[in-house]
Amino acid sequence: DAMVIQNPRYQVTQFGKPVTLSCSQTLNHNVMYWYQQKSSQAPKLLFHYYDKDFNNEADTPDNFQSRRPNTSFCFLDIRSPGLGDAAMYLCATSRRTGSGTEAFFGQGTRLTVV
Amino acid sequence: AQKVTQAQTEISVVEKEDVTLDCVYETRDTTYYLFWYKQPPSGELVFLIRRNSFDEQNEISGRYSWNFQKSTSSFNFTITASQVVDSAVYFCALSDSGNQFYFGTGTSLTVIP
């Protein structure tokens, strides 16, 4: 059974129209991550939560926001998507910090901006 | 700063050949963790292996083996007798004492039947 679930798998949005991607986990992990992966590139960390503590990467555009209402769910909000935001968005979880536990990834949401 | 380099962008091999994917990392931490992930066309990153910086033992799991050498800051991955199902993008990653995973740019492996 899938442990990190992302919805939807494919999302088409209009230029400038807000969009929300969702992620849920059944692992009860403390840490949840959002990564952006563009074609043929490495996943790029946007931000992560350790429990309710939000950690934003310095180069993550303000256009990207996140919410984590509870342990199981995490959302990625893109306030005004541009063409350059078209990418695969990956959600991941890990058990805790400093222990080197692996991250578990969802199947990703592929975002197209038209 | 943490950095992971996968110099091989694309590799093609014929089925049943052995193939080695290279990974070189940089870190100033004494405690760190190294990972390999497989990303098939479906998109999900699948965890393959984790190694901590204090464990240089090589590991074999079926057709997969990993060679960790701190002296050269390398963590290479070998697939023996490759199969078409091994075709995917493979990412090497480094994790430090914080929450972050630093990924290499990936190696796209194509196994030709």
Side-chain angles (χ1 to χ4, degrees):
Chain A
D1 290 337
M3 297 176 287
V4 182
I5 303 164
Q6 291 188 243
N7 284 303
R9 291 289 310 281
Y10 301 92
Q11 175 74 56
V12 180
T13 191
Q14 290 181 332
F15 183 95
K17 184 176 180 180
V19 65
T20 295
L21 310 182
S22 73
C23 176
S24 64
Q25 57 141 333
T26 59
L27 298 164
N28 203 35
H29 282 173
N30 303 93
V31 190
M32 293 189 78
Y33 309 80
W34 279 106
Y35 286 86
Q36 179 193 64
Q37 186 181 24
K38 296 189 176 180
S39 183
S40 302
Q41 295 184 20
K44 177 182 180 299
L45 182 64
L46 295 174
F47 22 60
H48 71 275
Y49 279 91
Y50 183 86
D51 292 329
K52 292 190 174 183
D53 292 335
F54 177 69
N55 298 270
N56 198 30
E57 292 303 294
D59 57 354
T60 298
D62 293 339
N63 198 25
F64 291 85
Q65 304 286 320
S66 185
R67 297 170 283 136
R68 188 179 186 187
N70 53 52
T71 300
S72 301
F73 287 89
C74 196
F75 300 98
L76 170 61
D77 301 309
I78 308 176
R79 293 193 294 189
S80 181
L83 297 179
D85 296 327
M88 175 77 90
Y89 290 88
L90 296 165
C91 175
T93 73
S94 69
R95 200 173 333 126
R96 59 190 171 93
T97 65
S99 62
T101 55
E102 65 270 27
F104 292 83
F105 285 81
Q107 288 191 297
T109 295
R110 186 168 295 282
L111 178 69
T112 301
V113 182
V114 298
Chain B
Q2 323 288 22
K3 185 178 178 182
V4 177
T5 302
Q6 295 180 254
Q8 304 151 309
T9 306
E10 295 181 0
I11 299 177
S12 291
V13 297
V14 176
E15 199 170 21
K16 297 185 183 177
E17 286 185 348
D18 299 346
V19 59
T20 295
L21 310 181
D22 298 333
C23 174
V24 175
Y25 62 92
E26 296 176 30
T27 179
R28 291 183 179 178
D29 291 353
T30 54
T31 301
Y32 53 89
Y33 306 87
L34 297 165
F35 303 81
W36 276 96
Y37 282 86
K38 175 182 180 180
Q39 188 175 40
S42 59
E44 180 180 358
L45 280 158
V46 178
F47 166 74
L48 295 177
I49 190 172
R50 176 185 69 234
R51 262 287 174 268
N52 74 54
S53 52
F54 300 108
D55 182 4
E56 283 193 76
Q57 277 192 333
N58 293 330
E59 181 159 338
I60 299 174
S61 175
R63 295 184 298 107
Y64 295 171
S65 62
W66 292 270
N67 184 327
F68 176 28
Q69 292 194 341
K70 288 179 75 171
S71 61
T72 55
S73 297
S74 65
F75 186 43
N76 296 336
F77 173 29
T78 298
I79 302 175
T80 304
S82 58
Q83 299 177 1
V84 173
V85 294
D86 296 327
S87 297
V89 180
Y90 291 85
F91 288 96
C92 181
L94 170 73
S95 174
D96 55 19
S97 55
N99 294 313
Q100 294 197 29
F101 289 81
Y102 301 86
F103 286 88
T105 50
T107 297
S108 178
L109 174 65
T110 301
V111 180
I112 303 165

